[in-house]
Amino acid sequence: MKVLVPVKRVVDFNVKVRVKSDGSGVDIANVKMSMNPFDEIAIEEAVRLKEKGIATEIIAVSCGVAQCQETLRTAMAIGADRAILVETAEELQPLAVAKLLKALVDKEQPGLVILGKQAIDDDNNQTGQMLAALAQLPQATFASKVVVENGFAQVTREIDGGLETLKLKLPAVVTTDLRLNEPRYVTLPNIMKAKKKPLETLKPADLGVDVAPRIKTLKVSEPPKRGAGVKVPDVATLVTKLKNEAKVI
């Protein structure tokens, strides 16, 4: 069974994000970039499926600029067998990415597509669901446990009221939550081996997909700074301030 794992190159989670002075977006010049943490969990889960003898091949996929090759090499160092980069300088929105992935699903015919539930840069949480709809595949989101056997995937997912278990007929789309696993540390020998693994580069036109943005970002701004706290002498003063100044009671 082939497993397709889309991975995204994002600003590293340790970096404090800065907004551009003109408010057009986030400044990513000279900023450390890394693999989206949720996608790292997806790659780890795919590798574990291969170690169990369930998956036969893991294909990592990324869409974006040429530097995404670094992210794909990291995915191959974790355990992916080969990688595909859909290279474009366009601003890719979730629908465009889902269309590109749908074209790759048609081309590769994977038994399972597993990806992070959301990216930490835009937090849209849309691509997996859109891909499942476009490819007409069953889906399970926010997976905290995945068991694959006999042509089915049994997925435990986290919901507001607790846990829900779904049984999906393969092929299917699964999006990962933080508690699914803990990704392994990437060792130097595996990084060196990843350099020799095949990485195919395609353009959106090769897949017959139009990736032109459908949504325009009007303005990006930082959240307002939090005001300093105030000490009050007694409960009566606190109630008065909550009622007259904060207007919350």
Side-chain angles (χ1 to χ4, degrees):
M1 178 182 77
K2 280 186 189 178
V3 180
L4 190 75
V5 188
V7 295
K8 186 176 183 182
R9 178 177 180 262
V10 299
V11 175
D12 190 86
F13 67 92
N14 288 311
V15 173
K16 181 172 170 49
V17 175
R18 300 186 307 273
V19 175
K20 290 180 181 176
S21 57
D22 60 0
S24 62
V26 172
D27 186 7
I28 59 171
N30 302 315
V31 170
K32 183 184 178 185
M33 308 291 281
S34 61
M35 187 190 300
N36 180 44
F38 290 102
D39 297 337
E40 203 171 348
I41 291 166
I43 280 282
E44 173 66 26
E45 192 65 21
V47 173
R48 292 186 185 190
L49 288 173
K50 189 176 180 185
E51 288 171 346
K52 291 175 185 173
I54 296 167
T56 54
E57 185 181 30
I58 301 168
I59 308 160
V61 178
S62 194
C63 306
V65 294
Q67 289 90 332
C68 291
Q69 289 187 30
E70 299 166 16
T71 308
L72 289 170
R73 293 292 177 196
T74 301
M76 289 190 284
I78 294 172
D81 297 295
R82 60 187 173 95
I84 301 171
L85 170 62
V86 183
E87 189 179 341
T88 176
E90 283 276 9
E91 178 200 346
L92 290 175
Q93 294 171 352
L95 180 59
V97 176
K99 287 179 177 178
L100 291 171
L101 294 177
K102 195 266 180 184
L104 289 171
V105 166
D106 292 341
K107 179 185 175 187
E108 297 289 344
Q109 296 292 309
L112 180 67
V113 181
I114 185 164
L115 66 161
K117 69 172 183 177
Q118 65 195 76
I120 62 170
D121 52 1
D122 52 28
D123 271 340
N124 280 323
N125 182 15
Q126 295 175 339
T127 305
Q129 293 90 324
M130 288 178 169
L131 171 61
L134 290 171
Q136 297 184 342
L137 294 174
Q139 63 172 306
T141 55
F142 317 131
S144 59
K145 184 179 180 183
V146 178
V147 178
V148 178
E149 57 185 1
N150 302 324
F152 289 89
Q154 186 167 298
V155 180
T156 303
R157 59 191 299 269
E158 301 192 1
I159 58 174
D160 291 341
L163 298 175
E164 178 182 57
T165 302
L166 302 175
K167 190 174 184 180
L168 312 176
K169 187 172 179 15
L170 299 179
V173 176
V174 173
T175 72
T176 64
D177 210 336
L178 278 175
R179 279 169 284 280
L180 179 58
N181 62 51
E182 186 174 339
R184 68 194 64 193
Y185 180 74
V186 180
T187 61
L188 182 59
N190 286 339
I191 293 172
M192 301 307 291
K193 287 176 187 173
K195 292 181 179 180
K196 298 179 181 178
K197 291 183 179 179
L199 195 159
E200 181 183 2
T201 302
L202 302 171
K203 300 286 185 185
D206 299 333
L207 299 170
V209 177
D210 174 20
V211 295
R214 264 57 173 183
I215 300 170
K216 183 179 179 182
T217 302
L218 299 179
K219 185 181 179 184
V220 176
S221 59
E222 290 188 14
K225 288 187 177 167
R226 198 171 169 185
V230 178
K231 284 186 178 180
V232 293
D234 51 44
V235 174
T237 310
L238 173 62
V239 171
T240 302
K241 283 185 174 291
L242 290 174
K243 190 174 183 179
N244 300 329
E245 294 179 23
K247 299 189 185 300
V248 294
I249 58 173

